[in-house]
Amino acid sequence: MNRSITVLVAGVSAMLLAAGCASDKPVTSSAAPDTSAAAPSTGTAAASPNTGEQSKFFVQADYDAQLAMRTQSAEGPADKPWEQAIAPEMVDTAKYKKDGPYNLCFSNAAVNNPWRQVGWKTMQAEVALHKEIKQFTALDAEGKDDKQISDIAELVGKGCDALIVSPNTTATLTPAVTGACPEVPVIVFDRGVETDCPVTFINPIGGYAFGADGAEFLVEKVPAGGKVLALRILPGVDVLETRWSAAKVTFDKSQLDVVGVEFTDGDAAKTKSIVSDYIQRHGKIDGVWMDAGATAVAAVEAFEDAGVPVPAIVGEDQQDFLQKWKSGGLTAIAPTYPTYQWRTPIIAALKILKGEEVPKTWKLPQPKITSENLDSYLQPNMPPLHYALCGCEKLPDFPANWGGK
């Protein structure tokens, strides 16, 4: 079959933000840490002098729902978590049914961090599995709202059979997605929009679950009165805000002493400097919470350089952190925002075009890596910035296409 892939991809940024920065950056985001928070929409804990006011992004109902999902069983193939769904409510797609082969289109927010780079490679490999996809056209918005708005309009005009969108921001991209919905079945994943017109919205459980997993681990491992340093990347990014919101709720209910909440900008050198400063200032830090793990190794190295034990720490599923965890015998946990979600929109698009039901809100499992299962996620043959939960191990050209050996 004559199949072609049209891909327009921008240069990759050197900024190594992890999965957390793969999420939405609303137009109302604050420019500075001390103004990034506002009163919670529904508070659960009083403000702490050290943890500050609850984020304006906090929504009690969403928090409750995500934490409950952590213990709910997902439906779907046991060995394919990217096809699983938690508590799905199925929608009929018969009106979109059409004969193939198909022309799928993808409007991508960016490939400007390792998480998105791993996901993009995984998505392309998923496309290659399906002979019924005649053409796959992808446009990269380079992290720019105005470009993505233009990209969506261009793709709608190309006669796409289905349009996949990973929005750069929520509010600004909502009109573009809303305008596309009457023209073509739309699948949104990773980051949301403020309309329910897409046929399905796909992502893992979410930021509250990520943040709570890490904070609960520290409450378990750090003695009462222990000093915890919280490291965040950026203010005003929704999934990062919800990660911190959930951690704040947990810390405020605990007997731990949060001695600082600092923004690192996802920069390894800045992270190391901040941690070193807190070690000097407080003498001992008993736990480190992070809203994304790209700079977790830098935080660990700050303790090593100071000649003090590495405390209990929260990281993520990047190989450099997992390897440091294993070799150093760290007390650690790695919440995840799995990159295997990049496979799901392709699968969803084909189901929709074949008239098969899909979940309206497609919530994927969101595992956490612990000392008990660490070995199963370690991949010494993969690059340091490769994400363990790519769901790509059985795809053609693995590991070479993901930089492995």
Side-chain angles (χ1 to χ4, degrees):
M1 181 175 294
N2 181 20
R3 304 172 66 224
S4 63
I5 298 179
T6 304
V7 182
L8 301 179
V9 181
V12 176
S13 166
M15 184 172 66
L16 300 182
L17 301 188
C21 283
S23 45
D24 183 60
K25 191 178 295 184
V27 293
T28 56
S29 64
S30 172
D34 62 348
T35 59
S36 65
S41 56
T42 308
T44 58
S48 161
N50 293 332
T51 61
E53 296 290 335
Q54 185 54 282
S55 169
K56 63 184 179 182
F57 287 79
F58 182 80
V59 177
Q60 182 72 49
D62 294 344
Y63 168 86
D64 293 339
Q66 287 192 21
L67 266 58
M69 285 182 191
R70 296 185 299 173
T71 58
Q72 294 177 2
S73 298
E75 301 177 15
D79 60 341
K80 297 178 179 179
W82 52 90
E83 294 185 17
Q84 296 177 11
I86 301 172
E89 294 185 5
M90 310 301 285
V91 294
D92 181 73
T93 67
K95 65 180 180 180
Y96 302 113
K97 185 176 181 180
K98 63 189 304 184
D99 294 332
Y102 303 115
N103 174 21
L104 299 188
C105 296
F106 175 38
S107 172
N108 190 9
V111 285
N112 57 2
N113 62 62
W115 185 89
R116 300 195 71 83
Q117 293 157 27
V118 172
W120 171 230
K121 291 175 183 177
T122 301
M123 174 181 277
Q124 293 174 88
E126 178 67 36
V127 169
L129 295 179
H130 302 281
K131 294 182 179 180
E132 63 268 48
I133 301 175
K134 181 180 181 180
Q135 184 169 337
F136 179 56
T137 303
L139 299 181
D140 180 2
E142 305 171 28
K144 301 173 183 176
D145 286 341
D146 55 350
K147 186 176 186 308
Q148 189 165 32
I149 291 169
S150 175
D151 287 349
I152 290 173
E154 179 179 342
L155 291 171
V156 170
K158 286 184 177 293
C160 305
D161 294 310
L163 173 63
I164 298 166
V165 180
S166 178
N168 188 54
T169 64
T170 292
T172 307
L173 267 298
T174 294
V177 171
T178 303
C181 285
E183 307 298 326
V184 62
V186 176
I187 299 96
V188 173
F189 84 102
D190 170 33
R191 313 167 177 182
V193 286
E194 296 173 345
T195 173
D196 63 359
C197 77
V199 182
T200 183
F201 170 49
I202 301 162
N203 72 341
I205 295 174
Y208 294 114
F210 186 109
D213 281 346
E216 290 167 0
F217 174 79
L218 294 181
V219 170
E220 176 187 349
K221 298 297 183 181
V222 177
K227 298 176 181 179
V228 171
L229 172 61
L231 298 177
R232 304 180 60 190
I233 291 180
L234 299 167
V237 180
D238 68 343
V239 79
L240 298 179
E241 291 283 352
T242 54
R243 288 178 184 185
W244 170 239
S245 293
K248 172 182 162 55
V249 171
T250 300
F251 290 142
D252 287 352
K253 291 179 180 178
S254 77
Q255 298 182 50
L256 299 184
D257 180 14
V258 179
V259 295
V261 182
E262 300 285 351
F263 287 87
T264 69
D265 300 326
D267 180 81
K270 185 174 181 179
T271 299
K272 196 170 184 178
S273 176
I274 290 170
V275 175
S276 298
D277 178 65
Y278 271 81
I279 294 171
Q280 294 176 8
R281 189 187 312 175
H282 294 279
K284 183 183 181 184
I285 298 296
D286 302 290
V288 177
W289 180 91
M290 304 186 78
D291 66 1
T295 60
V297 170
V300 170
E301 289 174 346
F303 290 96
E304 294 174 339
D305 292 350
V308 298
V310 180
I313 187 168
V314 177
E316 206 169 350
D317 59 317
Q318 282 185 206
Q319 288 301 315
D320 60 351
F321 176 69
L322 302 184
Q323 290 165 5
K324 176 70 79 171
W325 177 356
K326 178 69 174 181
S327 63
L330 304 182
T331 299
I333 191 170
T336 69
Y337 194 65
T339 45
Y340 58 59
Q341 67 182 283
W342 288 69
R343 299 186 67 168
T344 314
I346 302 300
I347 295 167
L350 293 176
K351 283 182 173 290
I352 291 166
L353 294 173
K354 294 175 183 178
E356 300 175 11
E357 289 185 332
V358 295
K360 179 63 177 176
T361 300
W362 195 326
K363 282 290 184 182
L364 301 167
Q366 185 171 304
K368 57 185 176 183
I369 301 176
T370 67
S371 58
E372 287 76 20
N373 63 16
L374 172 61
D375 287 345
S376 65
Y377 292 104
L378 269 172
Q379 300 168 308
N381 61 322
M382 298 305 293
L385 301 182
H386 178 74
Y387 281 80
L389 276 80
C390 67
C392 57
E393 290 81 2
K394 295 183 179 180
L395 288 170
D397 299 322
F398 181 88
N401 198 40
W402 285 260
K405 299 180 180 178

